[in-house]
C-alpha cells in the first residue's frame, strides 16, 4: 500500500536531507513544482493574498478563502502540501475548525503563528503577539483537532524580531511542549541561526527563505549544517513570474506585437501538457468519447 501524503511528509522530515518546499500560489504552480521533481510544496499566505486579492499579507483573507486555495493546490498534485494557516483565524475553536478544513482538503501540514488579529507578514514591521499561553492553547487545539495522526502541526513564533532571541526560544519551547511537530522561528538573522538547533534538539526546525533578505539566502547544505529539516521558499516563483510578465507587457506596449517574445515563453502544447492534458486524453479514450469529440492539439 502506498503512503499517504501525510505519511510521506513525516518520512521526508525524518530523512537525512533537509526538505525543500518551493512556494506556490495556485494549482498551476503546483504542477510546475511537481514537474520539477520536488518532494513537497508550500502554499504562501502572502502570495495567496497578492494573487487572490491584489493586497499585501495583512490578514485580509478569510479562513474559507485560504482553505479553498489550499484545497485546489492539493488537488493538482500528489506531493505533500504545507500550508500557511496564519494565526488560526481566531481562538482555539477557530483553530480546530481550520485544521479540520485543511486536513479534509488534502493538506499535509499547516503552520500557525502567535500574532494578534489581524496579522501581517512575518517580515513586515509592526507585528504584535498574543500571550504565549494563548498560543499554547491554539497549538493544543490544533493537535487535538486532526483526524490523521500524521498531519503535521508547525508552530511559528514571531517573537524574535520584537523581543529578542531568548523570548522567541522560550515561546518556541512552550509550543513544543504543547505538541507541535515542527518549530518555526520567524526572521532569524545570521547571528541567530547557530543558536536555534542546539536549543531544540529532537524536533524538526523550519527555515523560511523569504525574499526580504532578513534571513540569509543559504544553500540547502548550509541550512542542513545549521540543523534545519524543512526549507520553504514562499514567493520566489511568483516574483519570477511577475518580473517576466512585466517584461512581456513592456514589449507589447512598445512594439505592439507579441512576436519578439513568442520564442521565449512556454509553448501552447507545453502549457496544456502542464495542465494535465494527457490525463484528459486518456480519460476520454477510456470512457469512449467519440474520436470526433476528443480533445486534440
Amino acid at each position: 500500500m502506498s503512503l499517504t501524503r501525510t505519511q510521506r511528509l513525516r518520512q521526508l522530515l525524518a530523512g537525512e536531507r533537509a526538505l525543500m518546499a518551493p512556494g506556490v500560489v495556485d494549482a498551476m504552480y503546483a504542477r510546475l513544482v511537481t514537474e520539477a521533481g520536488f518532494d513537497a510544496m508550500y502554499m504562501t499566505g502572502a502570495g495567496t493574498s497578492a494573487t487572490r486579492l491584489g493586497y499585501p499579507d495583512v490578514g485580509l483573507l478569510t479562513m474559507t478563502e485560504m482553505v479553498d486555495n489550499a484545497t485546489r493546490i492539493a488537488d493538482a498534485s500528489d506531493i505533500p502540501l504545507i500550508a500557511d494557516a496564519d494565526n488560526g483565524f481566531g481562538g482555539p475553536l477557530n483553530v480546530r475548525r481550520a485544521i479540520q478544513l485543511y486536513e479534509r482538503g488534502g493538506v499535509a501540514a499547516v503552520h500557525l503563528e502567535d500574532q494578534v488579529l489581524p496579522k501581517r507578514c512575518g517580515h513586515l514591521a509592526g507585528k504584535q503577539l498574543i500571550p504565549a499561553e494563548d498560543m499554547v492553547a491554539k497549538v493544543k487545539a490544533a493537535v487535538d483537532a486532526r483526524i490523521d495522526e500524521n498531519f503535521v502541526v508547525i508552530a511559528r513564533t514571531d517573537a524574535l524580531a520584537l523581543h529578542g532571541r531568548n523570548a522567541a526560544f522560550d515561546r518556541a519551547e512552550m509550543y513544543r511542549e504543547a505538541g507541535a511537530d515542527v518549530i518555526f522561528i520567524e526572521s532569524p538573522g545570521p547571528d541567530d541561526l547557530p543558536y536555534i538547533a542546539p536549543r531544540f534538539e529532537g524536533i524538526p526546525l523550519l527555515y523560511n527563505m523569504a525574499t526580504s533578505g532578513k534571513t540569509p539566502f543559504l544553500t540547502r547544505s548550509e541550512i542542513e549544517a545549521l540543523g534545519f529539516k524543512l526549507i520553504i521558499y514562499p514567493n520566489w516563483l511568483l516574483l519570477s513570474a511577475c518580473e517576466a510578465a512585466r517584461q512581456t507587457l513592456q514589449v507589447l506596449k512598445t512594439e505592439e506585437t507579441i512576436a519578439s517574445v513568442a520564442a521565449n515563453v512556454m509553448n501552447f502544447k507545453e502549457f496544456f501538457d502542464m495542465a494535465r492534458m494527457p490525463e484528459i486524453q486518456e480519460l476520454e479514450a477510456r470512457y469512449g468519447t467519440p474520436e470526433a469529440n476528443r480533445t486534440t492539439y
Side-chain angles (χ1 to χ4, degrees):
M1 181 181 294
S2 61
L3 297 177
T4 66
R5 283 181 281 194
T6 55
Q7 290 172 331
R8 290 207 307 276
L9 180 58
R10 292 273 183 174
Q11 188 177 74
L12 289 163
L13 290 174
E16 293 185 2
R17 301 228 61 190
L19 175 61
M20 302 170 69
V24 299
V25 297
D26 59 26
M28 196 62 187
Y29 283 92
R31 300 297 305 159
L32 288 166
V33 170
T34 304
E35 180 193 61
F38 286 90
D39 293 318
M41 56 186 170
Y42 169 69
M43 187 191 86
T44 155
T48 298
S49 183
T51 54
R52 294 286 293 253
L53 302 180
Y55 278 111
D57 184 14
V58 291
L60 297 177
L61 282 168
T62 65
M63 179 196 301
T64 51
E65 288 172 319
M66 288 284 280
V67 170
D68 176 72
N69 200 48
T71 300
R72 293 172 189 272
I73 292 168
D75 187 55
S77 172
D78 64 355
I79 66 175
L81 171 62
I82 302 147
D84 189 344
D86 291 342
N87 46 17
F89 311 100
L93 296 184
N94 302 86
V95 169
R96 282 186 61 87
R97 181 165 183 254
I99 294 298
Q100 291 164 355
L101 291 176
Y102 274 106
E103 187 176 349
R104 290 173 196 159
V107 174
V110 298
H111 70 73
L112 300 165
E113 65 206 37
D114 53 7
Q115 288 192 43
V116 301
L117 288 166
K119 55 87 56 163
R120 62 183 61 200
C121 172
H123 287 245
L124 293 175
K127 298 182 291 184
Q128 299 180 57
L129 305 184
I130 61 174
E133 295 77 10
D134 292 352
M135 182 62 178
V136 166
K138 290 188 181 188
V139 173
K140 290 180 177 179
V143 171
D144 287 347
R146 61 188 173 192
I147 303 301
D148 180 356
E149 64 180 4
N150 288 305
F151 184 90
V152 175
V153 174
I154 304 168
R156 164 179 148 185
T157 180
D158 287 66
L160 182 61
L162 294 173
H163 305 300
R165 189 185 301 154
N166 289 337
F169 285 5
D170 288 346
R171 279 179 172 254
E173 187 61 46
M174 293 174 68
Y175 306 161
R176 170 161 69 169
E177 291 175 1
D181 302 300
V182 176
I183 291 298
F184 176 2
I185 296 176
E186 178 64 294
S187 305
D191 293 339
D192 302 305
L193 291 171
Y195 296 96
I196 297 175
R199 174 67 184 268
F200 296 98
E201 293 183 5
I203 187 168
L205 300 170
L206 184 150
Y207 191 100
N208 183 15
M209 190 77 78
T211 57
S212 72
K214 292 182 179 180
T215 301
F217 303 148
L218 303 180
T219 67
R220 180 188 194 181
S221 295
E222 289 170 330
I223 294 169
E224 286 175 344
L226 286 166
F228 290 83
K229 294 298 296 184
L230 173 60
I231 315 167
I232 58 173
Y233 302 81
N235 287 302
W236 293 99
L237 298 183
L238 177 61
L239 293 176
S240 299
C242 285
E243 182 57 32
R246 273 183 170 173
Q247 293 178 18
T248 297
L249 289 167
Q250 186 59 46
V251 169
L252 181 58
K253 182 72 172 178
T254 303
E255 301 179 6
E256 298 184 348
T257 175
I258 212 69
S260 64
V261 300
N264 300 320
V265 302
M266 183 181 287
N267 67 39
F268 182 83
K269 184 178 186 303
E270 289 173 332
F271 177 75
F272 276 90
D273 282 349
M274 179 66 62
R276 295 181 280 185
M277 176 68 87
E279 178 183 328
I280 295 299
Q281 292 173 322
E282 189 277 329
L283 290 171
E284 287 181 337
R286 180 190 305 178
Y287 298 124
T289 302
E291 286 285 348
N293 295 337
R294 290 187 187 177
T295 305
T296 58
Y297 295 106

